[in-house]
Structure formats: C-alpha cells, structure tokens
Amino acid sequence: MDISPALLASIRAAAEAAPDNVELRVHLGELLLTSGDTAAAITEAGRALMVDPHSEQARSLMARALDVPPPPASPAPSGTGPLSSGSDRAAPEEPPAPSAGFDWAAAEEEVRGIAEPRFRSPSPGDPVLPVHDVERPTLTLADVGGMEHVKQRLEAAFLAPMRNPELRRLYAKSLRGGLLLYGPPGCGKTFLARALAGELGAHFLSVGISDVLDMWVGSSERNISAFFDQARRTAPCVLFIDELDALGRRRGASSGPGSTVHQLLTELDAVDRDNEGLFVLAATNQPWDVDPALRRPGRFDRTVLVLPPDAPARRAILEYHLRDRPIEGIDLANLVERTDGFSGADLAHVCDTAAERALVDSAHSGEVRMVNMADFEAALGDVRPSTGPWFDAARGVALFANEGGAYDDLVAYLRGRGRG
Ligand SMILES: Nc1ncnc2c1ncn2[C@@H]1O[C@H](COP(=O)(O)OP(=O)(O)O)[C@@H](O)[C@H]1O
Ligand SMILES: [Mg+2]
C-alpha cells in the first residue's frame, strides 16, 4: 500500500520530537510496515520496546514485522528495562521454552510445495550460465586489525576444524553446514570472509543477490545451483553468500515466492554428503530476516557476531585509509579514542571528509597543504556513527525473540555497553 512520503516524514518528525511516546513510535512503525519497509518497522518497534518493554502494541508490531507469533505476555515490569545492566535477567524466573518464537516444524512445513518448478532440464533457448570469478585472496586474519574476540571464535568454530581433516572427520556431524557472520553494516563481515578464505589457502567465490536473481522462472534456483557446482569444482573453496537476508529472506505473506530459500536449503543439505573442501560462509546485517529453516542445525547454525571495531581495529582501519594521504601532525590515539562506536565504513568516511576539507582549502588558497588535525576535528563534527539504527532494531529483536539463545552474544554486548 502507498503511504505518502510527506505523511511518513511528518509522523517521523513528531516521533523524533517526542522520543518517549510509544504510541507515536508504534504508529510510525505500523505505517512503515504497511508501506513494505519491514526493516524500518523493526527499528521503530525496537525503539518503542526500549521505552516500554511491556507495551502490547509494540510487541504486536514487532511480531508482525518479524512474522513470528507474539511471545507470551511479559512478566510484570520490574522497574528497569529488561536489558539494563541491573540484575533482573541474571536469575531467570523460569527457563525459556527451548525454541520460543522459533517453530522449526512450522518452518519446515513451509518449505514444502513452494514455487514450482524447483528443477527442470536445460533447454536450447536458455541463457548460458555465466562463469563466476573465483579469487584466491591473499588477505589473512593478520590483516584484520584488532577484533581478537571474533578471531578466536572464528578459529574455534571454523578454521581449526577446516584446516584439519582428522578433526573434520571426528566432528563431521557437528560441522555440517555453514557459518553465519552477523552484525551492523560496515563492520568488516565481508572483509573477514575474504580473510578466512586466505587463511585456509582456499578459493573464494562470492554470491550476492544480483548474481542470482533472474526474471526467468526457475533461473534463480539454477543460478544458485551453478554457484555451488562451481565452488565444488574449484575446491578447496569458500562459497560466501553475502547478505543472506536477501537470498534467504524469511518466507512470509508479504515476501516473494521463497524459491531461492528452497534451493539454498537443498544445496546446504547436500554439502554434508559430497562436498569435501567446500566451506559455506554467509553474512547478514539482518539475521532476523533470514528464514528460520536456514538457521536449523546443519545449516547456518553457527553464528559469529561482528561488532563495530574495537580500539586496535580502529587504529588499523584509520592507518589503512591514511596510508597514501598527505597527512601532517595526526594524533592517531586521539582519533581512535573519539571514534568508539564508528563502523569501518564510518571511519573511511571520516578520513575522506577530512581529506576533502584540506583539498577544498588548497583549491581556495591556491596553496597546497597537508591534511591536519583541524580537518579531522571538523570531520568528526560532521560524521556520526551509522550503527545507531541497527542497534535500536537489534536491541528490540534480542529482547523480543532471542530464538533459543541465538542472540546471546548480542544481548551480552548490549548489556555490557549499558545500551539496553
Ligand atoms: N578490523 C578491520 N581491519 C581492517 N579493516 C577493516 C576492519 N573492519 C572493517 N574494515 C574495513 O571496513 C570496511 C567495511 O567492511 P565490510 O567488510 O564491507 O563491512 P560489512 O560487510 O560488515 O558491511 C571495509 O573497507 C574494510 O576494509
Ligand atoms: Mg558486507
């Protein structure tokens, strides 16, 4: 349904002006959901739940936006928010249902009978499938600055077993399927995926939505299949599905036919059988939009949260972006300290903005000058961290639908930062 942008803008302005008004937030979220912007609706529901975690309206909006049944009514308000650094969640009143909000059986049922035809034989008029670029990355984890916690987790959950065929055999059952990197945009998921392939000395084949979606019936499925085939042929190979929320979008009333989800499920289940040397990795900013069937054991059941870069990572990223620039008197430690919460992409933006300012200045004065600390002061005044809306949405989702502990890392982080 069409909602006029002017109406949306004025409701949004009203909601921003009265940040504690839950009803207004929910109203904005409802409009966004009606207009098809599910991600923005989740963000608004998350913001409303931050103000009032027990608001029925906000919970109902979140449930519809996430396309999950609403959770049971929340326990009586305890005075503090459920994620506040207080102790209220430390002692669970009752163990959560093992798969609360996450109905495997129903998800599996949905898979059946979707968008035929699933398979068909090629016919002469078919477009020739493109041959995809397989790279061999030279990047390794040593090139990824900081983020020790993520590296350790990747080592344990992915690299150690993959490097070692004996271990792989031993743990064959629990190592089926792939690993899912998730977190706010611009924080290094794609970068890490490439570095992981480099670590393994494997080829790297990246699949994005534009590589796969096709207007021909059945072509998207065959394109996915072609990627898996090519990855098998070039094994050892890391097949990387970027933005899994697009190809693996939760199948629901409002979304598309879901046939790419179906094909992904088929391919992932086959990885177990005959894919020695094929490693499947995926990344998403929106894990809550990924179809639950894809998160089942044996598929993308191992997850790693990739957060905004820590101090050593920010230093590495800043150094990288400044390496070829004419700089003078830059206090790197100061910049690192003042960019807490910035994503890798935000840091790149800060460096660009500072350089641009020096350039404009040089053009005006006719005298070339270096990029200095004053340029960075100005840039830091302009560039805000872009991860805020992601955390607003994530906080709501983690509160609302921590599917059998799927977001425990996130909950712990939010609590640690006092952002909950
Ligand atoms: N720890 C890091 N060390 C070095 N560069 C990083 C790091 N994290 C992110 N970057 C840089 O930040 C940018 C955004 O990262 P990207 O992988 O595209 O983010 P995402 O896939 O999570 O949206 C990339 O240019 C990458 O080089
Ligand atoms: Mg990316």
Side-chain angles (χ1 to χ4, degrees), residues 131-409:
V131 173
H132 307 290
D133 287 341
V134 180
E135 330 163 22
R136 192 181 282 271
T138 50
L139 200 67
T140 68
L141 283 185
D143 299 304
V144 179
M147 309 179 92
E148 283 314 317
H149 182 72
V150 172
K151 289 180 192 171
Q152 276 168 22
R153 175 102 176 82
L154 289 171
E155 182 67 35
F158 191 70
L159 288 170
M162 290 308 178
R163 276 200 205 104
N164 185 328
E166 283 304 313
L167 268 182
R168 211 150 63 218
R169 255 189 293 283
L170 209 56
Y171 291 101
K173 275 275 173 314
S174 50
L175 287 176
R176 293 178 307 149
L179 179 77
L180 177 64
L181 304 170
Y182 78 98
C187 292
K189 295 182 294 297
T190 305
F191 189 65
L192 277 165
R194 209 171 247 114
L196 283 174
E199 280 294 320
L200 289 169
H203 288 112
F204 184 79
L205 182 58
S206 172
V207 190
I209 181 131
S210 57
D211 302 314
V212 165
L213 281 200
D214 205 306
M215 58 182 187
W216 306 104
V217 176
S219 289
S220 303
E221 293 89 320
R222 273 182 301 135
N223 289 348
I224 289 179
S225 205
F227 270 106
F228 275 83
D229 280 345
Q230 175 151 8
R232 273 181 213 110
R233 281 199 304 275
T234 42
C237 183
V238 169
L239 180 66
F240 176 55
I241 306 173
D242 210 352
E243 289 161 49
L244 181 66
D245 50 288
L247 280 182
R249 183 161 214 89
R250 184 187 284 280
R251 293 154 296 166
S254 55
S255 53
S259 55
T260 55
V261 172
H262 197 289
Q263 191 62 33
L264 281 175
L265 291 173
T266 309
E267 297 290 346
L268 284 170
D269 290 351
V271 165
D272 186 27
R273 282 199 305 278
D274 50 17
N275 293 298
E276 183 59 19
L278 170 58
F279 312 123
V280 188
L281 267 181
T284 178
N285 302 338
Q286 247 115 0
W288 40 85
D289 282 344
V290 172
D291 196 279
L294 283 166
R295 305 274 303 265
R296 284 204 68 163
R299 293 162 187 168
F300 292 108
D301 52 351
R302 283 166 291 157
T303 55
V304 175
L305 172 61
V306 181
L307 290 164
D310 55 17
R314 293 199 298 281
R315 172 176 279 272
I317 296 168
L318 287 167
E319 275 171 352
Y320 175 81
H321 289 293
L322 296 177
R323 74 198 181 288
D324 295 328
R325 291 201 155 124
I327 51 173
E328 145 185 282
I330 300 298
D331 180 352
L332 208 50
N334 177 286
L335 293 181
V336 166
E337 196 182 317
R338 290 168 62 192
T339 48
D340 189 23
F342 282 58
S343 72
D346 295 335
L347 292 169
H349 189 35
V350 168
C351 295
D352 289 346
T353 307
E356 204 174 283
R357 186 171 181 273
L359 188 76
V360 169
D361 224 25
S362 301
H364 273 303
S365 68
E367 202 167 314
V368 178
R369 72 163 176 81
M370 310 287 252
V371 186
N372 59 32
M373 225 26 207
D375 297 315
F376 275 93
E377 292 294 341
L380 284 175
D382 280 353
V383 181
R384 295 266 71 89
S386 63
T387 49
W390 188 90
F391 279 108
D392 289 345
R395 189 182 294 110
V397 172
L399 275 175
F400 180 85
N402 187 8
E403 304 159 341
Y407 300 119
D408 281 353
D409 287 1

Side-chain angles (χ1 to χ4, degrees), residues 49 52-60 63 69-78 82 89 93-97 100-101 399-400:
L49 284 169
D52 178 7
H54 307 282
S55 156
E56 280 314 317
Q57 292 171 304
R59 294 163 71 82
S60 148
S74 47
S78 61
R89 270 178 70 122
E93 309 83 76
E94 51 181 356
L399 275 175
F400 180 85

